[in-house]
């Protein structure tokens, strides 16, 4: 995670998501950028465009904003989940990254939102595009750190049902990533094993 504490003077940084705090008596939480918050509705509308380049660019902008300000991106969760079914792989990958960054503010989400996000990410493990599958593995690893029990339960459910959407990895690198995800889930929830 790229979240760190900062004083009001340090909040001008562009590269990190900053928790307000320090000696300047700012309220706890994230600094919400007016520009990104105001553009969120427009980004979501652009993601519904019939033009794949427009959708891809909008999804990239949404992901970039979620990286810096994950709490501001929370209202875009349904849009990001819908974009996981986009025919264009780059739009799907950007949507996964948006959901990945939102894991940083897991405590601000409803149980239903967490379930929907994790379920949608697990489904992308079977995506036709390798980069999308890899992004899903990385996002699920982040979610496993934020909420290991939920990620584990989704894996347990699909494995028990025999309907695991996980493709047999084509190469050792991808197989290693799935093993690393399993290890992350187990490490963050030691009393439950896959």
């Amino acid at each position: 995670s790229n979240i760190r504490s900062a004083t009001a003077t340090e909040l001008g940084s562009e590269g990190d998501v900053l928790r307000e705090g320090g000696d300047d008596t700012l309220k706890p939480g994230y600094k919400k950028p007016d520009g990104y918050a105001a553009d969120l509705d427009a980004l979501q509308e652009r993601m519904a465009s019939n033009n794949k380049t427009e959708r891809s660019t909008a999804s990239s902008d949404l992901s970039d904003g979620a990286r810096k300000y994950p709490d501001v991106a929370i209202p875009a969760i349904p849009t990001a989940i819908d974009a996981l079914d986009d025919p264009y792989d780059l739009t799907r990958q950007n949507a996964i990254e948006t959901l990945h960054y939102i894991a940083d503010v897991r405590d601000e989400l409803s149980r239903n939102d967490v379930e929907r996000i994790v379920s949608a990410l697990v489904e992308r493990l079977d995506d036709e595009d390798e980069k999308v599958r890899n992004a899903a593995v990385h996002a699920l690893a982040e979610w496993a750190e934020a909420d290991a029990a939920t990620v584990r339960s989704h894996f347990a459910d699909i494995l028990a049902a025999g309907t695991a959407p996980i493709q047999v990895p084509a190469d050792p690198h991808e197989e290693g990533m799935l093993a690393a995800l399993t290890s992350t889930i187990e490490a963050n929830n030691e009393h439950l094993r896959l």
Side-chain angles (χ1 to χ4, degrees):
S1 171
N2 60 341
I3 297 173
R4 64 182 177 82
S5 294
T7 65
T9 319
E10 296 171 318
L11 285 172
S13 171
E14 291 294 320
D16 294 325
V17 176
L18 303 170
R19 284 221 183 266
E20 298 176 285
D23 298 330
D24 296 328
T25 64
L26 296 171
K27 294 179 182 175
Y30 291 89
K31 180 179 180 187
K32 295 184 179 184
D34 293 335
Y36 181 65
D39 289 344
L40 196 57
D41 288 338
L43 285 174
Q44 292 180 85
E45 286 178 26
R46 288 174 45 212
M47 288 182 66
S49 169
N50 289 329
N51 181 301
K52 85 173 190 178
T53 304
E54 183 68 20
R55 289 191 317 272
S56 175
T57 303
S59 67
S60 177
D61 293 346
L62 183 63
S63 175
D64 288 345
R67 178 181 53 82
K68 294 178 184 177
Y69 311 104
D71 65 325
V72 178
I74 290 172
I77 290 171
T79 301
I81 289 173
D82 288 347
L84 296 177
D85 292 325
D86 193 276
Y88 189 42
D89 60 319
L90 192 53
T91 300
R92 293 192 310 273
Q93 186 177 351
N94 289 332
I96 288 170
E97 290 172 1
T98 298
L99 298 172
H100 175 147
Y101 298 130
I102 290 174
D104 283 343
V105 291
R106 187 270 172 257
D107 292 341
E108 297 180 34
L109 302 178
S110 71
R111 185 93 207 121
N112 184 45
D113 282 339
V114 173
E115 290 286 340
R116 290 180 57 224
I117 290 168
V118 171
S119 178
L121 291 172
V122 167
E123 288 177 19
R124 287 296 109 202
L125 294 173
D126 192 34
D127 196 275
E128 63 195 38
D129 184 83
E130 179 182 0
K131 290 179 182 176
V132 173
R133 290 192 307 269
N134 289 343
V137 169
H138 287 286
L140 283 165
E142 183 73 18
W143 276 97
E145 290 181 19
D147 192 334
T150 300
V151 175
R152 185 208 173 279
S153 75
H154 279 272
F155 270 89
D157 290 348
I158 61 173
L159 293 173
T163 59
I166 302 168
Q167 290 187 356
V168 176
D171 63 44
H173 173 70
E174 199 170 317
E175 186 174 316
M177 290 178 65
L178 289 173
L181 174 59
T182 301
S183 296
T184 300
I185 295 167
E186 290 178 354
N188 286 287
N189 200 2
E190 290 188 6
H191 64 282
L192 298 171
R193 298 283 179 208
L194 290 179

